[in-house]
Amino acid sequence: MSKDLISASLKLINTLIQVFSPGRLPIYPMKLKASVIALALSLGTLSIHTQAVEIEKIDLPDMGDSSGTLISPQEEKEFGEFFFRSLHRQVTINQDAEIQQYIQTIGEKLTAHSDTPGYPFHFFVVLENNINAFAGPGGYIGVNSGLIVTTEAESELASVMAHEIAHVTQRHLYRAAEAQGRLSIPTMAATLAAILLGTQSPAMGQAAIMAIQAGSVQFQIDFTRDNELEADRVGMQTLAASQFDPRSMPTFFERLQQATRYYGQNIPEFLRTHPVTAARISDTRGRAENYPYKQYPDSLDFLLIQAKLRVMASPDSADVQKFFQARLDQGTVEQRAVARYGLGLIALNMQKFKDAESIFQQLTKEFPNQQHYVAALARTSLEARDYPGALTRYKKLVAQFPANDAIKLEYINALLKTGNPELARKTLLSLPANIQQQPIYTQLMAQVYGDLGQPAESHRYLADYYYAIGQTKDAILQIRLAQKSKGLNFQLSSILNERLRFFLDRQEEEMRSR
């Protein structure tokens, strides 16, 4: 991969970050309009199109696959990793193990029925109240917590994710880059530079973009609309094949359209850039009605994750407490239990440990096999600093739910709190590869080796943690600290030297891309 290509590509990814980052654009008094977002390859937000489509599997026309001409699989992987690391500097990405496990599970259920079931997708939640979702390079798909809380059915959430998956499987990001390259490479470069300028001076960036793009905006808007149409129909096929309700897509967008009149000046960025029209809703509903009707009940996990995110996102505990109290006598037995769970989480956040203990004890008694309730009970002991009690509960949990990696991560925390770093290390090493690739893994491993009295290894893993969250400068500092540790053997010294070279190279690339 040439340095020139790396530099140009990192600029592209930086641009995507500015466009895709939920809540980023509303910060500025002069927002980039839909045409400019299209120019910056904003293929990550959803919209519905006005053309009816048959429900049978569609043979899509060959519009050109950029993977063989513009970007190799290895480069795509690198771009995706850079995108995800850089996002950590732009937005708050969820680190809660239960939430991450849930969104990954839904994503994997959908991708198993997509056009490319073997593609390495990565799903994550952005802790942002705006209604949004986006697909970045390398199969990184982000969903805002505000979108999850707003949906009234699990199939609605799945419909958004299926659409984003389709953007990736149909290679829309790279098709757009390829199409703009054919149109005018200098114009593309100038546009990217202008948008980057806009991150520093919105007025200057907007003026530069308008001056550059006068002659080519319409083509690029049309190209993006074609992408969206394709993502809608392919996404609905994936949705239905994954046993989610295809009617959820038009239902969700119809509700969003009806709600726009209540937003005033605070309309979500999703609705600013992709207005939901009656015609587009009608089109999607027409396609969905071709599928046989049946009931699609929500999973209990969906309701519990919604409750957890609602508590995490609320700035006012009193308001969210009223929300759950109003639902204590509404709905099914499970729905009423979820309301109690929400009240227990509020009590835990407010450090009312006795109240939380009482609520979770009762829920665990009624639903002994519901992992969220028993995990919340163990978490209450941990946060109340009853470490022996927490460890006892987590040991039982791990035995009861041996395949639950979210519980294992909490168990590792309990082991560290009770002075068992070696068992914590062994448990970490037993986790699957997808968990070991998450920042929380290297963060916990750094703590493990710190407790084991091995500072070089602790600094090494902390360096990997900082790099994973986009803090390359701090990663370099941690490696240099590790190299100053006493008693380094040849193998560890070689590893540290290699990591330092790697981080320095990445820092140089990042500096060049700015």
Side-chain angles (χ1 to χ4, degrees), residues 152-411:
E152 293 184 0
E154 189 168 36
S155 287
E156 292 182 358
L157 170 61
S159 73
V160 176
M161 296 175 66
H163 181 102
E164 300 304 331
I165 289 167
H167 275 313
V168 175
T169 64
Q170 303 311 305
R171 310 291 290 166
H172 287 162
L173 186 62
Y174 305 110
R175 288 186 194 172
E178 193 172 44
Q180 292 202 18
R182 288 195 301 267
L183 184 66
S184 170
I185 291 174
T187 298
M188 177 68 172
T191 301
L192 295 178
I195 294 172
L196 289 172
L197 175 64
T199 67
Q200 305 299 321
S201 172
M204 292 175 63
Q206 180 81 351
I209 291 166
M210 295 308 292
I212 294 163
Q213 295 300 331
S216 57
V217 167
Q218 188 58 51
F219 168 82
Q220 294 171 357
I221 292 174
D222 290 342
F223 186 84
T224 300
R225 286 172 179 166
D226 286 343
N227 293 157
E228 291 291 337
L229 175 59
E230 191 173 47
D232 280 343
R233 65 195 186 195
V234 173
M236 185 169 286
Q237 292 165 1
T238 298
L239 191 68
S242 305
Q243 297 303 305
F244 289 107
D245 188 359
R247 292 166 177 79
S248 62
M249 185 180 288
T251 298
F252 181 54
F253 282 92
E254 185 173 42
R255 194 167 66 254
L256 281 183
Q257 184 198 47
Q258 293 171 350
T260 56
R261 61 181 180 272
Y262 299 115
Y263 284 117
Q265 297 299 316
N266 297 317
I267 186 170
E269 185 61 28
F270 174 85
L271 295 177
R272 292 181 189 274
T273 57
H274 293 276
V276 180
T277 67
R280 299 179 71 164
I281 293 171
S282 176
D283 165 60
T284 326
R285 189 171 298 284
R287 285 186 277 119
E289 289 298 331
N290 287 302
Y291 290 92
Y293 176 81
K294 70 174 187 176
Q295 294 290 330
Y296 295 85
D298 296 329
S299 72
L300 182 57
D301 283 352
F302 168 70
L303 300 175
L304 292 167
I305 292 300
Q306 267 195 325
K308 192 169 194 178
L309 285 171
R310 192 178 296 276
V311 172
M312 289 172 63
S314 177
D316 189 336
S317 296
D319 282 348
V320 72
Q321 190 170 24
K322 290 178 183 177
F323 174 88
F324 288 120
Q325 285 175 335
R327 286 157 176 77
L328 287 173
D329 299 317
Q330 297 179 7
T332 64
V333 172
E334 282 189 341
Q335 289 169 335
R336 295 197 295 270
V338 171
R340 290 153 59 197
Y341 173 73
L343 291 173
L345 292 178
I346 293 170
L348 189 57
N349 279 1
M350 299 175 68
Q351 298 188 347
K352 295 181 178 180
F353 300 120
K354 289 184 178 180
D355 292 344
E357 175 84 14
S358 176
I359 291 171
F360 295 139
Q361 279 276 20
Q362 188 61 37
L363 285 171
T364 300
K365 183 178 179 181
E366 295 174 25
F367 306 94
N369 296 317
Q370 215 310 306
Q371 58 197 35
H372 288 273
Y373 297 149
V374 289
L377 184 60
R379 199 177 307 125
T380 300
S381 295
L382 191 64
E383 296 195 20
R385 299 185 180 182
D386 176 14
Y387 298 135
L391 186 58
T392 298
R393 285 175 169 173
Y394 277 118
K395 283 181 178 178
K396 291 180 180 178
L397 272 175
V398 170
Q400 186 179 2
F401 304 102
N404 191 309
D405 295 322
I407 286 175
K408 287 180 182 177
L409 286 169
E410 293 194 32
Y411 171 55

Side-chain angles (χ1 to χ4, degrees), residues 63-74:
M63 297 176 65
D65 182 4
S66 299
S67 63
T69 57
L70 186 69
I71 180 174
S72 71
Q74 179 58 33

